[in-house]
Amino acid sequence: MDSGTENTDGKDVFISYSHSDSKEIAKLLGQELSSMGVEVWLDDIKMSIGSSIRESIDDGLTQSEYGVVILSESYFEGTSEWELNGLVEKHTNEEDVILPLWHGVDHDYVYQQSPSLADLIAEEIDKKNVQTVAASIYQIVEDRGGDNDEWGGDIGGGQKTDFIDIDIRFQGRFDPEVGKEVTVESWRNHNAPNLTALEATEIRDEDREIDYTSSSKGTIMTVKRIDDEPLNGIISDIQEIRSGKTEFTIRVEESRLEELSDDRDDYKSGFVQ
């Protein structure tokens, strides 16, 4: 996702967290964001007594547009109120660049540590809602420069972007890589309009700018090849790679699928009655 700045090496977001109790959730969040096309940098500083959270976030925001701060019990350990209030000051002065998340803590706990930090709009995060939180962050990044109305589950009228995973089968040479952007330029689908798995006939690797064409010609009784409904997404998983065959998953905005026709005749071959 284009950072919208002159720093072409910058990231969309960086994630600051405590290695003691939030490393796993931070990694999952980073993976979800990457599979949505968000450029992520995970803060590699181990928060401990004497660590400067303010300095860490200052450094992160010089290379990223937004800072996602996962607040947990161990995140507060050894952190001064001055440090925590500094986050609020940075958030206010730099127009909502910090997106707080509560992991294993609630408003009362955060308030006891820092009343000013507790006043910032935050979302709770755990293993069950990582993708939903990632979608909220995606929306903020996509609407870069606007108000963060989508942030916080109980405020604002913004509608979060939803994603759906589509399993892709491809017959021929192709080198998929998780996190890479691809466009399925043409495809065959045996279960239209329920698009959950399809056979790609042409794939565009957007990062490498390479086009791949399937060696499979299909059969006379198969559904017809769809050439005018490209599907763009990020590779989120790889099931199998072997000579002449690849199976992987791409994550696509659900709104794109809603644009596809519901008429089975638009997908069926004329040979199928």
Side-chain angles (χ1 to χ4, degrees), residues 86-153:
L87 302 187
V88 179
E89 180 183 355
K90 174 170 285 292
H91 179 80
T92 302
N93 293 341
E94 300 188 20
E95 298 181 353
D96 301 342
V97 295
I98 294 176
L99 307 177
L101 297 174
W102 297 345
H103 178 51
V105 296
D106 56 19
H107 180 272
D108 290 342
Y109 185 87
V110 176
Y111 185 84
Q112 291 174 9
Q113 311 304 317
S114 171
S116 57
L117 186 58
D119 283 342
L120 295 185
I121 296 171
E123 291 196 9
E124 296 182 7
I125 186 170
D126 55 36
K127 292 181 181 179
K128 296 180 180 180
N129 73 338
V130 170
Q131 188 176 35
T132 300
V133 172
S136 293
I137 297 171
Y138 170 88
Q139 194 67 57
I140 298 298
V141 173
E142 186 181 55
D143 297 337
R144 182 181 285 110
D147 295 331
N148 294 351
D149 292 336
E150 295 83 5
W151 188 248

Side-chain angles (χ1 to χ4, degrees), residues 162-256:
D162 293 321
F163 294 83
I164 190 169
D165 287 331
I166 302 176
D167 293 329
I168 307 293
R169 299 187 301 271
F170 184 75
Q171 201 77 22
R173 175 182 172 272
F174 178 58
D175 300 315
E177 185 176 336
V178 172
K180 295 298 183 181
E181 179 185 5
V182 297
T183 299
V184 179
E185 299 283 3
S186 62
W187 45 275
R188 301 185 184 98
N189 178 31
H190 297 264
N191 296 300
N194 297 319
L195 193 61
T196 57
L198 57 83
E199 177 189 354
T201 54
E202 288 187 7
I203 297 176
R204 170 76 172 174
D205 185 325
E206 300 293 353
D207 295 293
R208 301 187 183 106
E209 297 185 348
I210 300 175
D211 296 309
Y212 298 89
T213 301
S214 172
S215 58
S216 173
K217 303 300 182 182
T219 66
I220 196 171
M221 293 301 291
T222 192
V223 292
K224 68 180 182 181
R225 173 170 147 165
I226 309 300
D227 291 314
D228 55 355
E229 293 285 2
L231 299 172
N232 178 265
I234 306 296
I235 297 177
S236 58
D237 190 29
I238 299 173
Q239 288 80 44
E240 182 179 9
I241 301 178
R242 61 182 181 181
S243 178
K245 181 181 179 182
T246 306
E247 295 183 3
F248 59 98
T249 302
I250 62 173
R251 185 156 291 169
V252 178
E253 289 190 30
E254 195 168 32
S255 59
R256 172 67 185 98

Side-chain angles (χ1 to χ4, degrees), residues 4-21:
T5 69
E6 294 181 358
N7 181 11
T8 56
D9 294 328
K11 303 294 186 181
D12 292 314
V13 302
F14 86 102
I15 301 175
S16 177
Y17 64 98
S18 168
H19 286 233
S20 297
D21 59 10

Side-chain angles (χ1 to χ4, degrees), residues 17-23 46-49 51 53 70-79 103-105 109 113:
Y17 64 98
S18 168
H19 286 233
S20 297
D21 59 10
S22 304
K23 185 174 182 179
K46 294 185 178 181
M47 293 300 173
S48 60
I49 295 177
S51 296
I53 294 176
I70 301 179
L71 301 175
S72 62
E73 289 189 8
S74 64
Y75 196 89
F76 290 105
E77 292 177 0
T79 305
H103 178 51
V105 296
Y109 185 87
Q113 311 304 317

